[in-house]
Amino acid sequence: MWYESFLPESDGSSKRLLHSYSEVFSGFAAELTEEEVKKMEKKEGFLRAHPDRVVPLLTTHTPAFLGLKQSQGLWKASNLGKGVIIGVLDTGLTPSHSSFDDEGMPPPPAKWKGSCNFESGCNNKLIGAKDMIGGGSSSSPTDEEGHGTHTASTAAGNFARNASAFGLGSGTAAGMAPHAHLAIYKVCGSQGCSLADVLSGIDAGVKDGADVLSLSLGGSSVSLAEDPLAIGAFGAAEKGVFVSCAGGNNGPSQSSVSNEAPWILTVAASTTDRSFRASIELGDGHSVNGESLDQSEALSETSLPLYFSQDSPDCGSISGDASGKVVVCKAGQSPADLATLVKDGGGVALIYITDASQGSTKLVRRVEFPAAFVSDKDGASIISYATSTSNPTASISFDGAVLGASAPSVAFFSSRGPSLACPSIIKPDVSGPGVNILAAWLDSEGTGESNYNIISGTSMATPHLSGVAALIKSVHPKWSPAAIKSAIITTSDDKVASGKPIRDEQEEPASFFAMGAGHVNPSKAVDPGLIYDLNTDDYIAYICGKFGDSGASVIVRDRSVNCDNVKNITEANLNYPSIFVALESGSSVTVKRTVTNVGAASSSYKVQVNVPKSVSVTVTPHTLTFSKVKEKKSFTVTVKLNGSSSSVEGNLKWISDKHVVRSPIVVSSS
């Protein structure tokens, strides 16, 4: 073997060769001393030697939280997303960041047709970059906001050592698909995102050869026939490109979700099991867990006087009595402004009580001052103690990054359904990590260092799902976008690890209009058993049924569609992996679904329906038996509303000896 020629000449040289690489890396691994490496460097054909290392827990943490581990499971099966191209439409990217190094990366696929407009050039990780803003003639695809760098590294950042933000979460960072390729389309700036630029980015991504498009952007809900993003996404899906979009940050208001087209994966945001812990212990022994990005070792565990003004609970004014004290402020002003007021007033730390509407969701922010963010519920106990004790005291223990919080739960800001644009389709589709996410950031100081930041939003959840889609695409390269979406939806978790329902920010069981079908489970999604597939003709039948010829001519564009010649279907009858029906009390409706076997050739599934007594659901047939892969079976679901409930939820499951294929059901009183 040629690689052995690089090893020291000895009888045991072949035993020292550990691995040879040809697919994701060109080279070999061997046991060598430093002196032997120096001798090897002089040999013809030598390029570079990398010392081996043991990779610690990931600092973004979300890969581990979602069950992704090196050399195991989905990461092993997908070769870390090898061969898949993710196009990120955002504010650009910081190409010098270590998250975008190409160590271990193969060259881009032969199908790649894109170009790189970075002055520094691209590499095997970052294979393309274009500025699409205003035609892209006047600026660079370099990120000046940070948002695009963060989302791109979340989707497909390579393994980056020595990552941390504000001294927290130190370790190795990685995106969901660490060896997928990245193509960057700068479509947003400081003023937002022009839909003309977004559409141009989608067009370029499809033309260049992207497999997945990730869009952490969106506005209010509009008709699909009037939404350039939805129209562009249809064209992408038609050509086999998976499109993942943020559901919006306008929650918890009902019907606030955006990017609702059925050919788009619409993503909600949820919490993870990691907190940046700031433990507050009151003088009476009661303790409260808060979070903080401004952790002060000097202040930690020091008992100090506690200050709270009943006359100014939001700290609109702070008296001299606050000097040397821990100051408690209710939400009203921004945390950064309050931190400045407390500091100017002589306070030594801030306890910031979030608004009641945020519930249990704690969005931490950097305020450049010792601070702890607590929920309104926990804040009430702090205020009760502070106002009922003559000399209240408190200490704050800054504990850094702590694992083990009950998660996931839906973030308060995550936009909710029902969808206005597609009222008979459950949106959002699925939820993913989107609260206090640590990922790459721009080099605002020009130091050349790789910076990181911790931010929140459905913008952060979306690239998680884009990365998961890339992993599935790597394992199943011939699957359609609808097949990948179905796999993600039907294998998602609607319960936390303890078996209890996923909850929303008010600690109530989360509805499907809040979390989608559930929280993404990548390891299950790669092997769903059955899928609800859709092709372009299915979507055209849906579009014709919803909009007629006028809408079809706008959305479908390059096809000559006469809806009179198409078997139109209603929204409820689109072969979607979830079911929504609106009924009057006592009435019923029947919808049809078709599943495709992607599991074992010979398999059998039995139906199980879990719904409240106010609803009757009949599925025909009760059993689906398959004899080959890709075989299709259809079934009908008849739903009857027996009571007068405004909205009820349940699940339809097809269960085999290996798989549980779950579809959420929502029945609304019309």
Side-chain angles (χ1 to χ4, degrees):
M1 184 182 292
W2 181 63
Y3 289 144
E4 292 182 5
S5 66
F6 287 88
L7 301 179
E9 296 179 0
S10 68
D11 293 338
S13 63
S14 61
K15 295 181 180 180
R16 300 173 71 178
L17 182 67
L18 303 178
H19 303 285
S20 60
Y21 306 108
S22 62
E23 297 298 319
V24 299
F25 196 75
S26 295
F28 63 93
E31 293 179 341
L32 298 170
T33 66
E34 290 186 8
E35 186 63 29
E36 288 169 338
V37 171
K38 289 179 181 179
K39 291 180 180 180
M40 185 175 64
E41 290 173 351
K42 300 176 182 178
K43 294 188 176 184
E44 184 179 353
F46 175 86
L47 293 176
R48 186 167 55 179
H50 302 276
D52 196 11
R53 67 183 190 274
V54 176
V55 180
L57 289 174
L58 305 179
T59 189
T60 57
H61 180 59
T62 46
F65 175 59
L66 296 177
L68 298 174
K69 300 177 181 179
Q70 280 192 280
S71 303
Q72 298 180 40
L74 180 51
W75 264 3
K76 181 179 181 180
S78 67
N79 284 322
L80 302 169
K82 175 194 170 187
V84 179
I85 301 169
I86 302 177
V88 179
L89 282 69
D90 213 296
T91 63
L93 182 135
T94 303
S96 61
H97 199 285
S98 58
S99 289
F100 310 117
D101 289 349
D102 65 352
E103 182 177 345
M105 293 285 303
K111 69 172 184 175
W112 174 245
K113 300 179 178 65
S115 60
C116 177
N117 294 338
F118 283 127
E119 290 185 6
S120 57
C122 286
N123 57 28
N124 287 338
K125 159 58 72 176
L126 179 59
I127 62 174
K130 296 179 179 179
D131 169 39
M132 314 304 299
I133 297 177
S137 59
S138 60
S139 62
S140 159
T142 299
D143 188 5
E144 298 175 354
E145 308 301 322
H147 194 274
T149 299
H150 197 280
T151 57
S153 68
T154 301
N158 207 343
F159 297 100
R161 290 170 288 178
N162 303 318
S164 67
F166 320 120
L168 299 168
S170 180
T172 296
M176 300 304 294
H179 282 181
H181 304 285
L182 279 169
I184 303 303
Y185 302 92
K186 185 174 181 178
V187 300
C188 304
S190 59
Q191 302 302 311
C193 318
S194 163
L195 283 178
D197 296 336
V198 173
L199 189 58
S200 178
I202 295 173
D203 190 71
V206 172
K207 183 178 180 180
D208 290 344
D211 299 296
V212 176
L213 294 179
S214 185
L215 291 85
S216 291
L217 51 89
S220 58
S221 177
V222 295
S223 169
L224 304 185
E226 299 173 0
D227 183 1
L229 197 157
I231 295 167
F234 176 85
E238 186 179 20
K239 292 177 172 60
V241 179
F242 184 93
V243 181
S244 175
C245 291
N249 299 330
N250 295 314
S253 301
Q254 283 194 339
S255 296
S256 54
V257 68
S258 61
N259 296 327
E260 310 114 287
W263 43 86
I264 291 174
L265 182 76
T266 310
V267 184
S270 56
T271 63
T272 74
D273 66 343
R274 179 170 71 178
S275 63
F276 300 102
R277 183 74 57 80
S279 302
I280 302 165
E281 184 167 344
L282 304 177
D284 62 359
H286 180 71
S287 62
V288 169
N289 285 330
E291 296 202 41
S292 174
L293 298 185
D294 298 271
Q295 304 215 353
S296 169
E297 290 185 10
L299 187 66
S300 193
E301 298 185 17
T302 302
S303 182
L304 294 166
L306 189 65
Y307 172 89
F308 175 74
S309 173
Q310 290 179 293
D311 295 329
S312 183
D314 61 355
C315 299
S317 61
I318 297 177
S319 71
D321 293 339
S323 181
K325 298 180 180 179
V326 176
V327 179
V328 181
C329 300
K330 298 191 71 172
Q333 303 181 64
S334 74
D337 288 345
L338 282 174
T340 300
L341 286 172
V342 172
K343 182 179 180 180
D344 292 345
V348 295
L350 166 68
I351 295 177
Y352 180 85
I353 301 173
T354 60
D355 189 81
S357 65
Q358 298 187 19
S360 60
T361 307
K362 291 188 279 288
L363 305 185
V364 289
R365 297 177 178 86
R366 181 77 163 163
V367 297
E368 306 290 344
F369 184 72
F373 289 70
V374 301
S375 69
D376 179 75
K377 180 180 178 180
D378 287 334
S381 65
I382 296 174
I383 291 173
S384 175
Y385 164 71
T387 56
S388 63
T389 305
S390 56
N391 294 299
T393 61
S395 63
I396 304 176
S397 176
F398 293 104
D399 304 321
V402 177
L403 303 182
S406 179
S409 63
V410 180
F412 82 91
F413 58 77
S414 190
S415 291
R416 267 52 166 186
S419 165
L420 296 177
C422 306
S424 293
I425 294 178
I426 298 174
K427 290 284 183 169
D429 290 305
V430 71
S431 53
V435 178
N436 301 332
I437 303 301
L438 191 157
W441 200 249
L442 52 78
D443 179 16
S444 57
E445 302 296 327
T447 62
E449 296 181 358
S450 292
N451 293 331
Y452 296 83
N453 199 3
I454 297 170
I455 56 177
S456 303
T458 53
S459 284
M460 284 62 257
T462 300
H464 283 93
L465 271 298
S466 303
V468 171
L471 296 175
I472 298 172
K473 182 74 173 179
S474 183
V475 178
H476 303 289
K478 294 184 179 180
W479 277 16
S480 69
I484 295 173
K485 181 200 289 188
S486 173
I488 290 172
I489 290 175
T490 61
T491 60
S492 63
D493 296 322
D494 61 347
K495 295 178 175 60
V496 298
S498 66
K500 295 181 179 180
I502 291 175
R503 297 189 175 272
D504 62 18
E505 76 286 349
Q506 299 301 334
E507 301 183 11
E508 296 291 334
S511 76
F512 294 133
F513 290 132
M515 65 176 176
H519 194 261
V520 62
N521 187 323
S523 298
K524 289 183 179 179
V526 75
D527 182 22
L530 304 175
I531 56 170
Y532 294 78
D533 209 354
L534 287 161
N535 58 35
T536 301
D537 289 339
D538 296 321
Y539 287 131
I540 289 175
Y542 159 76
I543 292 166
C544 280
K546 189 174 180 68
F547 298 109
D549 286 331
S550 60
S553 65
V554 172
I555 299 173
V556 181
R557 301 176 333 282
D558 57 355
R559 286 198 186 195
S560 179
V561 175
N562 183 343
C563 289
D564 290 337
N565 298 328
V566 174
K567 186 179 179 181
N568 299 354
I569 60 172
T570 63
E571 199 160 66
N573 272 294
L574 183 68
N575 197 43
Y576 213 70
S578 58
I579 297 172
F580 177 96
V581 294
L583 294 171
E584 294 181 356
S585 180
S587 64
S588 64
V589 67
T590 298
V591 297
K592 179 183 176 182
R593 292 291 189 270
T594 300
V595 290
T596 303
N597 180 29
V598 294
S602 179
S603 54
S604 180
Y605 292 79
K606 292 185 177 181
V607 73
Q608 181 184 99
V609 178
N610 306 109
V611 293
K613 293 181 179 180
S614 58
V615 173
S616 300
V617 176
T618 303
V619 179
T620 306
H622 294 153
T623 302
L624 300 176
T625 301
F626 299 89
S627 58
K628 57 185 178 181
V629 177
K630 296 183 181 180
E631 185 177 4
K632 297 180 183 291
K633 295 284 185 177
S634 296
F635 61 93
T636 60
V637 182
T638 301
V639 183
K640 182 179 180 181
L641 183 61
N642 301 320
S644 56
S645 302
S646 58
S647 180
V648 296
E649 298 187 352
N651 286 296
L652 185 157
K653 301 176 183 178
W654 288 106
I655 302 174
S656 72
D657 56 359
K658 183 180 179 181
H659 298 99
V660 176
V661 186
R662 181 179 61 86
S663 291
I665 300 175
V666 175
V667 183
S668 176
S669 177
S670 59

